[in-house]
Amino acid sequence: MAGLVACKACSKEIAKGVKKCPNCGKDQRNWFMRHKIMSFIGAIIVISIISSALGGGSEEATTSTNGDTKATEKKETIYKVKDVIKADQLEVTVSKFEEKAKVGDQYVNKKASDGGTFVAIQYTMKNVSDEPVGMFDYPTLNLVDEKGTKYESDIDASSNYLVETGIDNSKILSDLNPDISVTDTQVYEISKEKFATGKWYIQVGDAKVQIK
């Protein structure tokens, strides 16, 4: 007879589409129809998992792209001796570099420690702003190796080198007025053996000048 199906439990014929068997009372609906709420929640979870899986590649690509962008942004410019570096209100130029065992003249001088050497530089600063610049606004100059290790200047050796070179227009206590340039010196004492290897830079603020 058309429209009849066998009961899932007792196998007696019942009308197609009925929810329960009139003979044994067995629910004829499938699991999903009997548990609509759980089926709906399960469907949401499955969709979320599929969406995450499909979107993961794009996110990774975005992350990779952003990483490449950051790497590009962090790529620094390496200057050479005599290149002009813009540092806030000043233009700084490392004009000369030399390695020395002793700095100073015949009367006042200083020798490098055993196993050490002096790395001496001369540099010029020009005020390119419209107002005086004080010494506390001058950029810090450090000697830096290729690993990023910083070396501070030797005050005594720097003073002796200033005397040796005859440079006398540096500004220590006075402000540097607009459009005025001054020349100064810095001397760094480091291991002679270490300086003989690798690359070396003078770091001027965030910029680097390769001297070796």
Side-chain angles (χ1 to χ4, degrees), residues 121-143:
I121 65 165
Q122 297 178 29
Y123 63 98
T124 301
M125 292 190 301
K126 180 180 180 180
N127 184 351
V128 293
S129 72
D130 296 326
E131 56 186 26
V133 177
M135 62 176 295
F136 294 108
D137 293 320
Y138 294 170
T140 302
L141 276 69
N142 294 109
L143 181 67

PDB file of all heavy atoms in Angstrom, residues 121-143:
ATOM      1  N   ILE A 121      88.376  59.727  16.022  1.00  0.00           N
ATOM      2  CA  ILE A 121      87.598  60.316  14.926  1.00  0.00           C
ATOM      3  C   ILE A 121      87.522  61.828  15.088  1.00  0.00           C
ATOM      4  O   ILE A 121      87.647  62.360  16.193  1.00  0.00           O
ATOM      5  CB  ILE A 121      86.162  59.748  14.860  1.00  0.00           C
ATOM      6  CG1 ILE A 121      85.371  60.143  16.113  1.00  0.00           C
ATOM      7  CG2 ILE A 121      86.159  58.257  14.654  1.00  0.00           C
ATOM      8  CD1 ILE A 121      83.873  59.935  15.975  1.00  0.00           C
ATOM      9  N   GLN A 122      87.350  62.498  13.972  1.00  0.00           N
ATOM     10  CA  GLN A 122      87.042  63.929  13.954  1.00  0.00           C
ATOM     11  C   GLN A 122      85.676  64.065  13.287  1.00  0.00           C
ATOM     12  O   GLN A 122      85.381  63.367  12.311  1.00  0.00           O
ATOM     13  CB  GLN A 122      88.098  64.708  13.179  1.00  0.00           C
ATOM     14  CG  GLN A 122      89.490  64.631  13.786  1.00  0.00           C
ATOM     15  CD  GLN A 122      90.525  65.372  12.949  1.00  0.00           C
ATOM     16  OE1 GLN A 122      90.207  66.333  12.262  1.00  0.00           O
ATOM     17  NE2 GLN A 122      91.765  64.909  13.009  1.00  0.00           N
ATOM     18  N   TYR A 123      84.855  64.948  13.825  1.00  0.00           N
ATOM     19  CA  TYR A 123      83.525  65.111  13.244  1.00  0.00           C
ATOM     20  C   TYR A 123      83.080  66.565  13.343  1.00  0.00           C
ATOM     21  O   TYR A 123      83.557  67.329  14.197  1.00  0.00           O
ATOM     22  CB  TYR A 123      82.502  64.203  13.940  1.00  0.00           C
ATOM     23  CG  TYR A 123      82.281  64.493  15.407  1.00  0.00           C
ATOM     24  CD1 TYR A 123      81.193  65.271  15.830  1.00  0.00           C
ATOM     25  CD2 TYR A 123      83.133  63.986  16.379  1.00  0.00           C
ATOM     26  CE1 TYR A 123      80.980  65.530  17.168  1.00  0.00           C
ATOM     27  CE2 TYR A 123      82.922  64.242  17.725  1.00  0.00           C
ATOM     28  CZ  TYR A 123      81.847  65.019  18.114  1.00  0.00           C
ATOM     29  OH  TYR A 123      81.636  65.286  19.441  1.00  0.00           O
ATOM     30  N   THR A 124      82.198  66.942  12.454  1.00  0.00           N
ATOM     31  CA  THR A 124      81.682  68.311  12.393  1.00  0.00           C
ATOM     32  C   THR A 124      80.183  68.306  12.651  1.00  0.00           C
ATOM     33  O   THR A 124      79.466  67.420  12.176  1.00  0.00           O
ATOM     34  CB  THR A 124      81.956  68.934  11.009  1.00  0.00           C
ATOM     35  OG1 THR A 124      83.352  68.943  10.770  1.00  0.00           O
ATOM     36  CG2 THR A 124      81.425  70.356  10.939  1.00  0.00           C
ATOM     37  N   MET A 125      79.733  69.300  13.418  1.00  0.00           N
ATOM     38  CA  MET A 125      78.309  69.484  13.672  1.00  0.00           C
ATOM     39  C   MET A 125      77.903  70.874  13.195  1.00  0.00           C
ATOM     40  O   MET A 125      78.580  71.857  13.507  1.00  0.00           O
ATOM     41  CB  MET A 125      77.983  69.339  15.156  1.00  0.00           C
ATOM     42  CG  MET A 125      78.156  67.940  15.715  1.00  0.00           C
ATOM     43  SD  MET A 125      77.484  67.785  17.389  1.00  0.00           S
ATOM     44  CE  MET A 125      78.461  69.017  18.267  1.00  0.00           C
ATOM     45  N   LYS A 126      76.805  70.945  12.453  1.00  0.00           N
ATOM     46  CA  LYS A 126      76.287  72.218  11.990  1.00  0.00           C
ATOM     47  C   LYS A 126      74.844  72.383  12.446  1.00  0.00           C
ATOM     48  O   LYS A 126      74.017  71.477  12.282  1.00  0.00           O
ATOM     49  CB  LYS A 126      76.346  72.312  10.463  1.00  0.00           C
ATOM     50  CG  LYS A 126      75.824  73.635   9.920  1.00  0.00           C
ATOM     51  CD  LYS A 126      75.907  73.694   8.401  1.00  0.00           C
ATOM     52  CE  LYS A 126      75.372  75.033   7.880  1.00  0.00           C
ATOM     53  NZ  LYS A 126      75.441  75.121   6.408  1.00  0.00           N
ATOM     54  N   ASN A 127      74.547  73.536  13.021  1.00  0.00           N
ATOM     55  CA  ASN A 127      73.185  73.832  13.446  1.00  0.00           C
ATOM     56  C   ASN A 127      72.372  74.272  12.224  1.00  0.00           C
ATOM     57  O   ASN A 127      72.620  75.330  11.647  1.00  0.00           O
ATOM     58  CB  ASN A 127      73.192  74.937  14.505  1.00  0.00           C
ATOM     59  CG  ASN A 127      71.793  75.226  15.056  1.00  0.00           C
ATOM     60  OD1 ASN A 127      70.800  74.735  14.540  1.00  0.00           O
ATOM     61  ND2 ASN A 127      71.742  76.024  16.098  1.00  0.00           N
ATOM     62  N   VAL A 128      71.404  73.457  11.817  1.00  0.00           N
ATOM     63  CA  VAL A 128      70.577  73.778  10.651  1.00  0.00           C
ATOM     64  C   VAL A 128      69.173  74.213  11.056  1.00  0.00           C
ATOM     65  O   VAL A 128      68.268  74.293  10.219  1.00  0.00           O
ATOM     66  CB  VAL A 128      70.497  72.561   9.691  1.00  0.00           C
ATOM     67  CG1 VAL A 128      71.843  72.283   9.060  1.00  0.00           C
ATOM     68  CG2 VAL A 128      69.977  71.325  10.424  1.00  0.00           C
ATOM     69  N   SER A 129      69.000  74.503  12.350  1.00  0.00           N
ATOM     70  CA  SER A 129      67.704  74.959  12.830  1.00  0.00           C
ATOM     71  C   SER A 129      67.681  76.486  12.934  1.00  0.00           C
ATOM     72  O   SER A 129      68.652  77.158  12.559  1.00  0.00           O
ATOM     73  CB  SER A 129      67.407  74.337  14.205  1.00  0.00           C
ATOM     74  OG  SER A 129      68.228  74.914  15.203  1.00  0.00           O
ATOM     75  N   ASP A 130      66.597  77.021  13.459  1.00  0.00           N
ATOM     76  CA  ASP A 130      66.449  78.472  13.604  1.00  0.00           C
ATOM     77  C   ASP A 130      66.664  78.954  15.026  1.00  0.00           C
ATOM     78  O   ASP A 130      66.313  80.086  15.366  1.00  0.00           O
ATOM     79  CB  ASP A 130      65.044  78.903  13.135  1.00  0.00           C
ATOM     80  CG  ASP A 130      64.818  78.633  11.662  1.00  0.00           C
ATOM     81  OD1 ASP A 130      65.795  78.740  10.892  1.00  0.00           O
ATOM     82  OD2 ASP A 130      63.674  78.300  11.295  1.00  0.00           O
ATOM     83  N   GLU A 131      67.217  78.095  15.865  1.00  0.00           N
ATOM     84  CA  GLU A 131      67.449  78.493  17.253  1.00  0.00           C
ATOM     85  C   GLU A 131      68.719  77.824  17.772  1.00  0.00           C
ATOM     86  O   GLU A 131      69.177  76.819  17.220  1.00  0.00           O
ATOM     87  CB  GLU A 131      66.261  78.100  18.118  1.00  0.00           C
ATOM     88  CG  GLU A 131      65.909  76.629  18.066  1.00  0.00           C
ATOM     89  CD  GLU A 131      64.644  76.292  18.830  1.00  0.00           C
ATOM     90  OE1 GLU A 131      63.790  77.175  18.989  1.00  0.00           O
ATOM     91  OE2 GLU A 131      64.531  75.121  19.258  1.00  0.00           O
ATOM     92  N   PRO A 132      69.319  78.377  18.827  1.00  0.00           N
ATOM     93  CA  PRO A 132      70.542  77.784  19.388  1.00  0.00           C
ATOM     94  C   PRO A 132      70.295  76.361  19.886  1.00  0.00           C
ATOM     95  O   PRO A 132      69.214  76.029  20.349  1.00  0.00           O
ATOM     96  CB  PRO A 132      70.884  78.730  20.545  1.00  0.00           C
ATOM     97  CG  PRO A 132      70.217  80.013  20.202  1.00  0.00           C
ATOM     98  CD  PRO A 132      68.943  79.635  19.506  1.00  0.00           C
ATOM     99  N   VAL A 133      71.336  75.545  19.784  1.00  0.00           N
ATOM    100  CA  VAL A 133      71.264  74.158  20.251  1.00  0.00           C
ATOM    101  C   VAL A 133      72.288  73.978  21.365  1.00  0.00           C
ATOM    102  O   VAL A 133      73.475  74.265  21.187  1.00  0.00           O
ATOM    103  CB  VAL A 133      71.558  73.159  19.113  1.00  0.00           C
ATOM    104  CG1 VAL A 133      71.542  71.730  19.646  1.00  0.00           C
ATOM    105  CG2 VAL A 133      70.544  73.325  17.995  1.00  0.00           C
ATOM    106  N   GLY A 134      71.823  73.514  22.533  1.00  0.00           N
ATOM    107  CA  GLY A 134      72.712  73.298  23.673  1.00  0.00           C
ATOM    108  C   GLY A 134      73.405  71.959  23.613  1.00  0.00           C
ATOM    109  O   GLY A 134      72.999  71.055  22.870  1.00  0.00           O
ATOM    110  N   MET A 135      74.451  71.814  24.409  1.00  0.00           N
ATOM    111  CA  MET A 135      75.246  70.589  24.392  1.00  0.00           C
ATOM    112  C   MET A 135      74.440  69.351  24.782  1.00  0.00           C
ATOM    113  O   MET A 135      74.747  68.250  24.357  1.00  0.00           O
ATOM    114  CB  MET A 135      76.460  70.729  25.319  1.00  0.00           C
ATOM    115  CG  MET A 135      76.117  70.951  26.784  1.00  0.00           C
ATOM    116  SD  MET A 135      77.566  70.999  27.846  1.00  0.00           S
ATOM    117  CE  MET A 135      78.188  69.333  27.667  1.00  0.00           C
ATOM    118  N   PHE A 136      73.396  69.545  25.574  1.00  0.00           N
ATOM    119  CA  PHE A 136      72.603  68.398  25.999  1.00  0.00           C
ATOM    120  C   PHE A 136      71.704  67.876  24.875  1.00  0.00           C
ATOM    121  O   PHE A 136      71.106  66.806  24.990  1.00  0.00           O
ATOM    122  CB  PHE A 136      71.757  68.762  27.225  1.00  0.00           C
ATOM    123  CG  PHE A 136      72.579  69.056  28.448  1.00  0.00           C
ATOM    124  CD1 PHE A 136      72.700  70.354  28.924  1.00  0.00           C
ATOM    125  CD2 PHE A 136      73.248  68.041  29.119  1.00  0.00           C
ATOM    126  CE1 PHE A 136      73.462  70.628  30.053  1.00  0.00           C
ATOM    127  CE2 PHE A 136      74.012  68.305  30.248  1.00  0.00           C
ATOM    128  CZ  PHE A 136      74.130  69.602  30.708  1.00  0.00           C
ATOM    129  N   ASP A 137      71.611  68.647  23.786  1.00  0.00           N
ATOM    130  CA  ASP A 137      70.841  68.203  22.621  1.00  0.00           C
ATOM    131  C   ASP A 137      71.733  67.629  21.528  1.00  0.00           C
ATOM    132  O   ASP A 137      71.248  67.241  20.464  1.00  0.00           O
ATOM    133  CB  ASP A 137      70.031  69.374  22.054  1.00  0.00           C
ATOM    134  CG  ASP A 137      68.936  69.831  23.001  1.00  0.00           C
ATOM    135  OD1 ASP A 137      68.293  68.966  23.618  1.00  0.00           O
ATOM    136  OD2 ASP A 137      68.732  71.053  23.143  1.00  0.00           O
ATOM    137  N   TYR A 138      73.049  67.599  21.786  1.00  0.00           N
ATOM    138  CA  TYR A 138      73.958  67.008  20.808  1.00  0.00           C
ATOM    139  C   TYR A 138      73.738  65.491  20.753  1.00  0.00           C
ATOM    140  O   TYR A 138      73.482  64.857  21.787  1.00  0.00           O
ATOM    141  CB  TYR A 138      75.420  67.263  21.171  1.00  0.00           C
ATOM    142  CG  TYR A 138      75.852  68.716  21.111  1.00  0.00           C
ATOM    143  CD1 TYR A 138      77.090  69.102  21.624  1.00  0.00           C
ATOM    144  CD2 TYR A 138      75.040  69.698  20.556  1.00  0.00           C
ATOM    145  CE1 TYR A 138      77.505  70.435  21.582  1.00  0.00           C
ATOM    146  CE2 TYR A 138      75.448  71.025  20.511  1.00  0.00           C
ATOM    147  CZ  TYR A 138      76.666  71.389  21.024  1.00  0.00           C
ATOM    148  OH  TYR A 138      77.072  72.694  20.984  1.00  0.00           O
ATOM    149  N   PRO A 139      73.829  64.865  19.598  1.00  0.00           N
ATOM    150  CA  PRO A 139      73.697  63.406  19.527  1.00  0.00           C
ATOM    151  C   PRO A 139      74.898  62.713  20.157  1.00  0.00           C
ATOM    152  O   PRO A 139      76.011  63.236  20.130  1.00  0.00           O
ATOM    153  CB  PRO A 139      73.642  63.130  18.019  1.00  0.00           C
ATOM    154  CG  PRO A 139      74.385  64.269  17.409  1.00  0.00           C
ATOM    155  CD  PRO A 139      74.085  65.468  18.264  1.00  0.00           C
ATOM    156  N   THR A 140      74.659  61.558  20.729  1.00  0.00           N
ATOM    157  CA  THR A 140      75.738  60.761  21.312  1.00  0.00           C
ATOM    158  C   THR A 140      76.429  59.967  20.215  1.00  0.00           C
ATOM    159  O   THR A 140      75.780  59.363  19.368  1.00  0.00           O
ATOM    160  CB  THR A 140      75.183  59.788  22.372  1.00  0.00           C
ATOM    161  OG1 THR A 140      74.520  60.538  23.380  1.00  0.00           O
ATOM    162  CG2 THR A 140      76.295  58.964  22.996  1.00  0.00           C
ATOM    163  N   LEU A 141      77.768  59.988  20.242  1.00  0.00           N
ATOM    164  CA  LEU A 141      78.544  59.221  19.275  1.00  0.00           C
ATOM    165  C   LEU A 141      79.209  58.053  19.993  1.00  0.00           C
ATOM    166  O   LEU A 141      79.939  58.255  20.968  1.00  0.00           O
ATOM    167  CB  LEU A 141      79.609  60.093  18.594  1.00  0.00           C
ATOM    168  CG  LEU A 141      79.155  60.935  17.389  1.00  0.00           C
ATOM    169  CD1 LEU A 141      78.219  62.043  17.828  1.00  0.00           C
ATOM    170  CD2 LEU A 141      80.354  61.509  16.661  1.00  0.00           C
ATOM    171  N   ASN A 142      78.939  56.851  19.533  1.00  0.00           N
ATOM    172  CA  ASN A 142      79.537  55.647  20.111  1.00  0.00           C
ATOM    173  C   ASN A 142      80.213  54.827  19.019  1.00  0.00           C
ATOM    174  O   ASN A 142      79.774  54.834  17.867  1.00  0.00           O
ATOM    175  CB  ASN A 142      78.492  54.772  20.804  1.00  0.00           C
ATOM    176  CG  ASN A 142      77.893  55.425  22.029  1.00  0.00           C
ATOM    177  OD1 ASN A 142      76.738  55.820  22.030  1.00  0.00           O
ATOM    178  ND2 ASN A 142      78.675  55.536  23.084  1.00  0.00           N
ATOM    179  N   LEU A 143      81.267  54.126  19.404  1.00  0.00           N
ATOM    180  CA  LEU A 143      81.873  53.143  18.515  1.00  0.00           C
ATOM    181  C   LEU A 143      81.064  51.855  18.663  1.00  0.00           C
ATOM    182  O   LEU A 143      80.759  51.434  19.782  1.00  0.00           O
ATOM    183  CB  LEU A 143      83.337  52.908  18.895  1.00  0.00           C
ATOM    184  CG  LEU A 143      84.117  51.908  18.042  1.00  0.00           C
ATOM    185  CD1 LEU A 143      84.305  52.431  16.631  1.00  0.00           C
ATOM    186  CD2 LEU A 143      85.482  51.621  18.673  1.00  0.00           C
TER     187      LEU A 143
END
